[in-house]
């Protein structure tokens, strides 16, 4: 990524509201959504986007209009927000260990006749899910086994018989088995697109081998769902895959740029901030860690700073450090004036969206409309 080209960074700045705030470029958002939907359609797979990136019912609705088959959510409360917002097919990509944690989700799903899919990677999870369904039998429920393909966070070991044990336990509890799911999040630490492609191939090999094992044991219906933006952007969809679940692709960020997955022109999200002080050491802006987060990138992508700020001429400034309400920008030859606007492209768009109640959708004519970050604070 060329960090010095003004042509890559420059965008108009509109001084029409108080700062700081999240701005999403409407045209770029639409392009990103269409690009991933086209890739899924061409590969003949379902796209179930992970909405943890944008947490926005407005954006999820547009993804569905373009052809997405349901959504992926991180937490049960997030799922409830999206059911209330009109979604009717949710995959909860988080392990369940207590029946109480999904009680409200099941109740809301039953009310709206929505389909819920849960992941499981331990027998305790099967028992908890079974108890939740016993308490709310009207929920249309499926359960999918989570496989660890290299991130080593959640999931069963694909090389032993844990998947067979879990599938059999689901059968004994009368729960509907819905296949295998994985997340190659370690692809963020791969460093470049070629290395990410290798990880995508390794993921596919592990998943398909496990699928064969389950089918040989009598579990014939065993679709495969994989999900991460790096693998979805860098690699072709491997034949035999049924579903992809990228999330970050909708907005993108500097992490994706550094991995060679996109250009700065592709970034839909930025933070509009105002210069509040200038001294011989730093330019100080009104966006600090409570706006930008302190995230340096997911899963091993450890950036040196907290983003890149750009003025209206396309001059760039590294965001070198943050306090809660202040950002510290390094300046050299060009010194922005106090009161002027800057645009910050952050390291990790998902973390930034989780900080705010709303965002401004900015159209090509400069008009901006405010939309809600619908699942803000849904962390349970």
């Amino acid at each position: 990524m060329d960090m010095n080209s003004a042509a890559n960074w420059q965008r108009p700045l509109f001084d029409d509201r108080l700062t700081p705030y999240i701005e999403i470029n409407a045209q770029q958002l639409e392009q990103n959504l269409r690009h991933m939907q086209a890739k899924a359609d061409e590969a003949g797979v379902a796209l179930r986007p992970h909405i943890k990136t944008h947490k926005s019912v407005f954006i999820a609705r547009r993804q569905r209009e373009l052809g997405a088959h349901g959504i992926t959510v991180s937490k049960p409360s997030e799922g409830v927000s999206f059911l209330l917002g009109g979604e009717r097919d949710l995959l909860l990509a988080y392990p369940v260990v207590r029946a109480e944690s999904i009680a409200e989700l099941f109740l809301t799903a039953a009310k709206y006749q929505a389909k819920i899919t849960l992941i499981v990677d331990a027998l305790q999870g099967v028992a908890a899910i079974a108890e939740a369904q016993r308490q709310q039998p009207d929920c249309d429920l499926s359960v999918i086994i989570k496989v660890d393909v290299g991130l080593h966070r959640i999931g069963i070991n694909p090389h032993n018989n844990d998947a067979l044990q879990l599938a059999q336990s689901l059968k004994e509890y009368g729960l509907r088995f819905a296949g295998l799911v994985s997340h190659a999040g370690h692809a963020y630490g791969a460093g470049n697109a070629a290395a990410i492609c290798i990880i995508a191939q390794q993921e596919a090999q592990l998943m398909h081998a496990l699928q064969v094992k389950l089918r040989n044991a009598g579990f014939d219906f065993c679709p495969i769902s994989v999900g991460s933006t790096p693998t979805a952007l860098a690699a072709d969809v491997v034949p035999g895959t049924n579903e992809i679940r990228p999330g970050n692709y909708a907005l993108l960020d500097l992490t994706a740029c550094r991995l060679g997955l996109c250009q700065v022109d592709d970034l839909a999200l930025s933070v509009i901030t105002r210069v509040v002080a200038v001294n011989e050491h730093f330019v100080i802006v009104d966006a600090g860690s409570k706006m930008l987060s302190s995230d340096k990138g997911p899963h091993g992508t450890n950036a040196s700073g907290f983003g890149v700020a750009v003025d209206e001429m396309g001059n760039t400034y590294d965001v070198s450090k943050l306090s809660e309400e202040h950002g510290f920008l390094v300046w050299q030859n060009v010194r922005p004036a106090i009161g002027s606007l800057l645009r910050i492209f952050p390291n990790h768009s998902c973390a930034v969206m989780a900080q705010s109640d709303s965002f401004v959708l900015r159209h090509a004519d400069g008009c901006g409309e405010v939309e809600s970050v619908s699942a803000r604070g849904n962390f349970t």
Side-chain angles (χ1 to χ4, degrees):
M1 180 178 67
D2 184 357
M3 300 289 285
N4 299 310
S5 172
N8 286 345
W9 298 100
Q10 190 171 11
R11 297 184 187 181
L13 289 162
F14 301 95
D15 195 353
D16 59 356
R17 65 196 70 228
L18 296 176
T19 58
Y21 64 89
I22 294 171
E23 182 177 285
I24 293 180
N25 183 295
Q27 182 177 352
Q28 197 53 62
L29 170 67
E30 181 74 7
Q31 181 175 314
N32 293 346
L33 299 185
R34 287 181 177 274
H35 177 259
M36 189 61 71
Q37 187 63 57
K39 184 164 188 173
D41 292 344
E42 290 167 7
V45 300
L47 171 62
R48 182 187 290 274
H50 205 316
I51 55 76
K52 71 177 179 64
T53 293
H54 54 71
K55 300 173 81 74
S56 162
V57 165
F58 172 84
I59 297 177
R61 185 179 303 122
R62 184 58 187 149
Q63 289 172 310
R64 177 158 38 86
E65 290 169 351
L66 290 171
H69 293 259
I71 61 171
T72 307
V73 300
S74 287
K75 293 293 184 71
S77 60
E78 196 172 66
V80 170
S81 290
F82 278 81
L83 288 174
L84 296 175
E87 297 300 322
R88 297 294 177 260
D89 187 349
L90 308 182
L91 166 64
L92 172 61
Y94 204 86
V96 176
V97 296
R98 296 185 62 195
E100 296 89 338
S101 69
I102 50 175
E104 184 182 6
L105 179 66
F106 276 25
L107 181 65
T108 310
K111 177 180 178 180
Y112 291 105
Q113 298 181 312
K115 178 182 177 183
I116 301 295
T117 303
L118 302 178
I119 70 167
V120 67
D121 70 346
L123 292 175
Q124 294 93 326
V126 177
I129 292 169
E131 174 59 21
Q133 189 175 50
R134 186 191 68 77
Q135 296 175 14
Q136 185 55 251
D138 294 333
C139 180
D140 182 357
L141 175 66
S142 298
V143 184
I144 194 165
I145 294 174
K146 180 65 181 287
V147 183
D148 178 8
V149 293
L151 180 58
H152 306 319
R153 184 178 66 182
I154 302 293
I156 58 100
N157 184 339
H159 301 293
N160 60 28
N161 290 320
D162 287 354
L164 293 174
Q165 186 180 24
L166 285 173
Q168 186 60 42
S169 179
L170 291 170
K171 183 177 180 180
E172 291 170 358
Y173 274 107
L175 296 170
R176 185 189 306 146
F177 172 55
L180 302 172
V181 61
S182 63
H183 171 59
H186 55 302
Y188 278 101
N192 58 68
I196 292 169
C197 286
I198 293 173
I199 287 175
Q201 287 292 333
Q202 293 170 340
E203 176 185 36
Q205 291 168 5
L206 289 171
M207 295 291 276
H208 290 146
L210 192 53
Q211 182 188 56
V212 169
K213 184 185 291 189
L214 283 161
R215 284 178 170 171
N216 289 340
F219 296 96
D220 296 329
F221 180 73
C222 189
I224 290 175
S225 173
V226 300
S228 83
T229 287
T231 53
L233 287 177
D236 292 335
V237 179
V238 177
T241 303
N242 302 96
E243 179 180 88
I244 59 174
R245 307 180 330 278
N248 184 267
Y249 78 94
L251 303 178
L252 296 172
D253 48 37
L254 290 185
T255 295
C257 287
R258 294 181 182 117
L259 290 172
L261 301 174
C262 68
Q263 302 298 317
V264 173
D265 288 343
D266 300 317
L267 304 184
L269 178 143
S270 58
V271 170
I272 308 303
T273 186
R274 194 178 300 276
V275 176
V276 295
V278 180
N279 56 49
E280 63 270 29
H281 305 289
F282 298 104
V283 171
I284 307 299
V285 296
D286 59 7
S289 62
K290 287 182 177 177
M291 185 71 200
L292 294 168
S293 88
S294 297
D295 202 316
K296 292 193 172 184
H299 302 316
T301 55
N302 192 24
S304 60
F306 299 95
V308 173
V310 190
D311 64 21
E312 62 183 355
M313 302 303 295
N315 299 303
T316 60
Y317 311 84
D318 290 336
V319 184
S320 64
K321 63 179 182 175
L322 302 172
S323 56
E324 292 181 25
E325 305 293 353
H326 303 82
F328 295 70
L329 314 184
V330 177
W331 69 276
Q332 294 178 355
N333 298 324
V334 180
R335 204 163 114 152
I338 292 176
S340 62
L341 293 180
L342 300 175
R343 179 186 306 278
I344 297 178
F345 292 100
N347 292 322
H348 192 182
S349 59
C350 309
V352 172
M353 286 295 284
Q355 304 287 98
S356 293
D357 290 329
S358 63
F359 63 91
V360 174
L361 187 69
R362 185 72 68 179
H363 297 278
D365 62 0
C367 178
E369 59 191 62
V370 177
E371 298 289 348
S372 295
V373 180
S374 317
R376 167 84 191 280
N378 290 171
F379 300 130
T380 59

